[in-house]
Amino acid sequence: MTSSNYQNAVDEFLKHCKIKGLSIDTVKFYDKELKQTRRSFVDIDVPIDDLRQIKTKHIENFIEHQQSLNRAINTINSRIRAGRTFFNFCLKKGYINKNPYDDIQQLRIRHEVGATFSKRQLKKLLDAPDTTTFIGLRDLAIMLTLAHTGIRLTELTSLRVQDVSFDDKGAINIQHAKNRYARRIPLTKRLKVVLKSYITERGVLDNDSLFITVENQPIGGRSIQDRLRQYGEQTGVSKEVAVSPHAFRRTFCRLKVEAGTNIFILQRLTGHQSLEILKRYVQIYGKDLEQAIEEGFEDM
């Protein structure tokens, strides 16, 4: 059986992922998590010079080490997922004869829904930008797109001008979705008006990214996060809820569930691969329990 050390196998695995056509974000995920895992393996003396020597007991020690560092459960689970996939690759290559992650379970997490904005908080944020300036109009268009579509940050930064159509009711076409399935999200009346105004102000440029800086360059995800934090501090909303792109996405899901939107339609709008997360919103924010509790007791 061929022998290999951890880092050489990781390099080969990442090359395999790229050749296989996995998304850039997925490759970055594996790269990041496997690097972090390697650092911890070194700290706790896991024998990384020979993958065949890595056993389940080492993975258990790794998890305990992560817990001692107060790593979040989601973070540890991400590293478990990345490690299991990587060692499955090593198994197929013949570098090991058993995956040390086979007997390792994901850590159990409490199924909660993160913080969302109230309608009052959302209105404060959307009223904050000075739309007499290009930056203010752009920031309103960004926040309104997040709020009215539930789009992910990576999807938003990948939008091009041609992905927005104003025919009939208008729509945004998500071409670079997380699950690689393109989807269409119709525009609300207000979003249609704001995006039209923004695109007119943006003008025709060599760069076709929808959201740009004042230097006419694509605006990055980090810059958008910083802008949202600034509006959160400016309005005082951040004292109650951390203002982030994902908070807008969670709020979109909550408001749609509260409005009675069918969960399968909501899944198509948000691009969730599984219904599990959306079911949590239904459990907490669905109105069917209040309606059902009175049924059968009308005459009593």
Side-chain angles (χ1 to χ4, degrees):
M1 181 180 292
T2 306
S3 165
S4 181
N5 67 43
Y6 183 90
Q7 191 54 54
N8 288 343
V10 167
D11 292 341
E12 191 175 347
F13 170 68
L14 295 176
K15 180 180 178 181
H16 165 78
C17 290
K18 293 174 184 175
I19 293 173
K20 192 177 177 182
L22 299 186
S23 71
I24 294 174
D25 289 334
T26 300
V27 175
K28 284 181 178 178
F29 164 77
Y30 285 131
D31 187 22
K32 174 189 170 187
E33 300 305 338
L34 293 173
K35 276 180 181 174
Q36 294 295 335
T37 298
R38 183 184 184 280
R39 289 171 185 162
S40 290
F41 277 2
V42 171
D43 289 342
I44 61 176
D45 297 323
V46 174
I48 60 173
D49 289 335
D50 186 352
L51 291 175
R52 290 175 298 180
Q53 302 302 316
I54 300 179
K55 308 298 181 184
T56 298
K57 66 179 181 181
H58 294 118
I59 309 306
E60 291 171 343
N61 291 341
F62 162 71
I63 293 172
E64 289 180 349
H65 177 64
Q66 295 290 292
Q67 290 172 323
S68 72
L69 296 173
N70 294 319
R71 298 291 184 253
I73 291 177
N74 282 332
T75 298
I76 298 173
N77 282 340
S78 290
R79 287 172 190 168
I80 291 173
R81 288 198 304 274
R84 179 177 285 113
T85 303
F86 165 62
F87 275 91
N88 275 336
F89 167 81
C90 293
L91 185 64
K92 290 178 182 178
K93 296 292 289 186
Y95 299 151
I96 56 176
N97 55 18
K98 185 180 187 301
N99 188 334
Y101 283 82
D102 279 349
D103 298 320
I104 300 295
Q105 301 295 320
Q106 294 267 298
L107 303 186
R108 296 185 66 178
I109 60 176
R110 295 177 63 185
H111 294 301
E112 299 175 342
V113 171
T116 61
F117 303 127
S118 66
K119 288 185 178 180
R120 174 186 61 82
Q121 292 165 337
L122 188 56
K123 186 177 187 305
K124 272 188 175 183
L125 291 169
L126 295 177
D127 287 346
D130 178 4
T131 55
T132 63
T133 68
F134 171 76
I135 290 176
L137 181 58
R138 179 205 64 196
D139 289 352
L140 173 61
I142 286 173
M143 286 198 286
L144 203 62
T145 300
L146 291 169
H148 283 206
T149 68
I151 194 173
R152 298 178 179 92
L153 177 60
T154 53
E155 294 170 340
L156 182 133
T157 55
S158 69
L159 285 176
R160 301 165 300 171
V161 174
Q162 55 266 40
D163 293 328
V164 182
S165 66
F166 296 109
D167 298 340
D168 194 17
K169 292 186 176 181
I172 289 177
N173 296 306
I174 312 296
Q175 304 290 351
H176 300 280
K178 181 179 178 181
N179 59 10
R180 297 210 254 171
Y181 287 97
R183 69 184 189 279
R184 171 180 165 275
I185 307 176
L187 301 178
T188 62
K189 291 178 181 178
R190 186 182 179 195
L191 181 55
K192 184 176 182 179
V193 169
V194 171
L195 280 178
K196 263 189 176 180
S197 298
Y198 164 71
I199 289 175
T200 299
E201 186 68 23
R202 177 193 179 283
V204 178
L205 306 168
D206 292 335
N207 172 16
D208 64 356
S209 291
L210 177 59
F211 295 113
I212 58 172
T213 66
V214 289
E215 291 82 19
N216 297 333
Q217 296 301 310
I219 187 168
R222 184 65 60 85
S223 296
I224 291 174
Q225 290 172 322
D226 290 341
R227 296 296 298 167
L228 296 182
R229 276 193 289 269
Q230 289 177 35
Y231 286 117
E233 292 170 4
Q234 176 184 326
T235 59
V237 171
S238 59
K239 294 179 180 178
E240 303 166 314
V241 179
V243 179
S244 69
H246 209 70
F248 279 92
R249 182 169 167 83
R250 289 193 298 261
T251 301
F252 175 83
C253 292
R254 172 186 176 174
L255 293 177
K256 288 300 178 187
V257 167
E258 288 181 340
T261 302
N262 180 284
I263 192 171
F264 294 104
I265 292 177
L266 183 55
Q267 182 185 31
R268 288 170 59 193
L269 290 171
T270 59
H272 278 101
Q273 195 161 5
S274 167
L275 286 174
E276 288 306 310
I277 294 176
L278 294 178
K279 285 178 181 177
R280 297 177 202 168
Y281 288 91
V282 174
Q283 289 285 343
I284 298 173
Y285 301 117
K287 300 299 184 183
D288 54 332
L289 295 180
E290 286 79 4
Q291 297 165 0
I293 199 69
E294 295 293 342
E295 294 175 0
F297 297 104
E298 293 84 356
D299 300 325
M300 299 177 67

